[in-house]
Amino acid sequence: MRVLINGAGIAGPTLAWFLAKAGARITIIEKSHSLLSYGQNIDINGSAIAIIRKMGLLDQIRRFNTTEKGTQFIDPKGRPFAPFPVNNGSSISFTSQFEILRGDLAAILHEATKDHPNIKYLFGTTIEEIISNTDDTVKVKSSNGEVQEFDLLVAADGQWSKVRKQCFPPEYVNVVDKGMYAVYWTIPRLPSDNDWWNVYQALGSRIITLRPDPHGTIRAMFTCMPCNDTQKKAWLEASKGDRQTKRELLSREFADAGWQTQRLLDTVDQAPDFYFQAIQQIKMSKWSNSRVVCLGDAAYAPTPLTGAGASLAIIGAYVLAGELSKLDASEHPSKAFEAYETTFRPFVEETQNIPFFVPAIAHPETAWKRWLFHTFVWTVSKVVATPWVANRFGGNNEEDFPLPQYPSFDDKGPK
């Protein structure tokens, strides 16, 4: 089986690892000229941990843990309160036991696959044109000028997938806007910084957070839910502009936010990984079209609000690879695509089902709403600190999606 995967993030290399065990020949193309080390915190939870264990990578994941001790909220005077420490095996911590930076996870997956004889990486390469997608093959022209045929093409190129745009009609894709923007970047660490995820809620539906990483720096984030039409227009226009436009918006919108706002604003221009994102879900009515299939965020971006994007990418890759491994040589890949979607879609839809009050509840617009939220989280933090409560709600690392068993994946490493 000749497989082309577009995207060397999380989903693509995971899929390649398992497909290589089943004897497929895989080419992974990535538009970046090298593996990007950037990216903020992501969680690996539930059944994704079981898959990482099958890949023999759990120790590597632990080695690159962000060192985050837990989550704590910051009051209007800059003082921490309402701590939620990491509690291994517990579902009541905002910080995962397997917290890792996206760039570090991508590097681990790349390292695990780059030397496999059946896997080839092409960096600095894009799909220029999908010439045909027929019953027999999918023909692709790459930016390096090569025209090649493959048995299937996997769009693992993220939320705004260019492969998806070429191969699926617009009505297949529903973009669900959550009314929130997030801005991420890395800043120098100061001696006064700690190893907690510090969450400060400014008034006017704004949040500022600082998180540790294992590289001696701090990961900063601003989030905002625009409160009126003028704000909504300003944030939308800034999202399409250059860094200077975004910087000016942040300076304007967060100038009076308090806490460590000015420190963060002063570092925007020097940040190598400044990222400005509208928080939106991707929901596709169908994940495949003939010999092309979408995987991970390209098919079902759940938003960072769920904390499940990486886990969905890993589990989806395992299921897709497993269903493809069951095909006979004469069978069309669409059979496996349909089984992948039938098996995995219910879990995806459940994960994407965000309560209507999220994220608004965490973005109080007024002082009294913030007081109510602070009172609530302080109370919860006290309750869950009770040992019997922690034990009662343990188990967030247990399998949340029953993993199908595939004979091709029985042994412990790539062939």
Side-chain angles (χ1 to χ4, degrees):
M1 186 184 293
R2 300 159 300 162
V3 182
L4 177 63
I5 300 173
N6 191 41
I10 308 304
T14 304
L15 177 68
W17 194 94
F18 283 103
L19 283 179
K21 289 178 64 61
R25 289 177 292 154
I26 304 107
T27 300
I28 303 178
I29 65 173
E30 169 57 47
K31 66 179 180 180
S32 302
H33 289 277
S34 61
L35 201 66
L36 295 178
S37 60
Y38 306 139
Q40 296 287 315
N41 297 54
I42 55 177
D43 298 344
I44 306 174
N45 285 309
S47 298
I49 296 170
I51 294 168
I52 291 293
R53 187 179 287 110
K54 285 177 181 285
M55 299 171 74
L57 299 177
L58 203 57
D59 287 343
Q60 281 287 83
I61 299 296
R62 288 193 177 104
R63 189 163 75 86
F64 281 91
N65 182 271
T66 62
T67 72
E68 191 168 285
K69 294 179 178 178
T71 305
Q72 62 183 7
F73 288 84
I74 305 297
D75 73 13
K77 294 184 179 180
R79 300 171 302 193
F81 76 105
F84 293 85
V86 173
N87 185 352
N88 294 350
S90 170
S91 58
I92 54 179
S93 173
F94 294 98
T95 300
S96 167
Q97 178 188 355
F98 297 97
E99 201 81 32
I100 190 170
L101 297 178
R102 184 194 179 280
D104 289 341
L105 179 55
I108 290 170
L109 293 170
H110 175 252
E111 185 67 26
T113 52
K114 67 181 178 65
D115 295 325
H116 194 287
N118 280 18
I119 300 174
K120 178 173 69 171
Y121 280 87
L122 294 176
F123 286 98
T125 307
T126 60
I127 293 177
E128 191 171 287
E129 182 186 359
I130 299 168
I131 298 171
S132 62
N133 175 24
T134 68
D135 279 345
D136 299 322
T137 62
V138 55
K139 184 183 290 187
V140 172
K141 181 180 180 182
S142 302
S143 57
N144 59 14
E146 289 187 4
V147 175
Q148 293 179 286
E149 290 186 334
F150 296 88
D151 294 307
L152 61 127
L153 167 61
V154 181
D157 49 342
Q159 186 170 0
W160 308 116
S161 168
K162 292 186 177 179
V163 170
R164 186 187 68 209
K165 188 174 181 179
Q166 288 190 62
C167 298
F168 294 82
E171 58 268 24
Y172 274 43
V173 184
N174 180 25
V175 179
V176 182
D177 189 86
K178 304 307 292 183
M180 171 182 158
Y181 290 85
V183 190
Y184 317 86
W185 70 104
T186 302
I187 65 175
R189 182 173 180 129
L190 300 178
S192 57
D193 288 321
N194 57 48
D195 289 332
W196 288 76
W197 181 11
N198 297 281
V199 181
Y200 170 76
Q201 294 165 301
L203 300 181
S205 300
R206 298 168 295 177
I207 291 178
I208 302 163
T209 80
L210 297 177
R211 309 185 77 166
D213 67 28
H215 305 296
T217 51
I218 293 289
R219 306 289 161 144
M221 180 174 69
F222 282 168
T223 69
C224 178
M225 295 190 70
C227 301
N228 54 56
D229 290 341
T230 301
Q231 264 194 318
K232 290 176 182 177
K233 182 179 179 182
W235 280 85
L236 179 61
E237 289 178 351
S239 69
K240 301 173 183 176
D242 57 16
R243 183 184 290 210
Q244 182 60 29
T245 303
K246 295 178 173 69
R247 170 71 167 80
E248 291 171 357
L249 174 77
L250 293 178
S251 296
R252 208 165 53 240
E253 294 285 309
F254 279 82
D256 63 344
W259 194 43
Q260 301 197 38
T261 297
Q262 196 56 50
R263 171 194 175 187
L264 273 59
L265 290 175
D266 289 344
T267 62
V268 167
D269 292 337
Q270 291 76 42
D273 59 344
F274 182 79
Y275 187 66
F276 190 109
Q277 176 188 21
I279 302 302
Q280 297 171 323
Q281 291 184 324
I282 298 297
K283 296 184 177 183
M284 295 186 71
S285 58
K286 186 172 173 57
W287 297 346
S288 62
N289 180 8
S290 191
R291 289 180 175 268
V292 178
V293 64
C294 294
L295 176 66
D297 281 355
Y300 34 79
T303 79
L305 299 173
T306 65
S311 294
L312 286 184
I314 291 166
I315 301 169
Y318 172 83
V319 174
L320 176 57
E323 296 303 330
L324 286 166
S325 74
K326 291 162 58 177
L327 292 178
D328 294 333
S330 61
E331 290 182 303
H332 196 280
S334 61
K335 179 181 178 181
F337 296 164
E338 289 167 7
Y340 151 63
E341 184 164 349
T342 300
T343 301
F344 195 46
R345 180 182 281 277
F347 182 71
V348 167
E349 291 182 347
E350 179 185 344
T351 303
Q352 288 187 315
N353 187 22
I354 299 173
F356 72 92
F357 51 83
V358 175
I361 191 173
H363 288 78
E365 187 175 352
T366 62
W368 77 269
K369 286 184 178 179
R370 181 171 66 181
W371 178 84
L372 282 176
F373 186 85
H374 282 188
T375 301
F376 172 72
V377 296
W378 179 84
T379 303
V380 172
S381 74
K382 295 299 182 185
V383 171
V384 299
T386 306
W388 75 265
V389 175
N391 293 333
R392 171 67 178 81
F393 292 96
N396 74 319
N397 291 324
E398 296 176 356
E399 289 191 13
D400 46 4
F401 171 79
L403 293 178
Q405 297 303 306
Y406 300 108
S408 297
F409 305 156
D410 282 346
D411 59 37
K412 291 188 177 180
K415 296 176 182 177

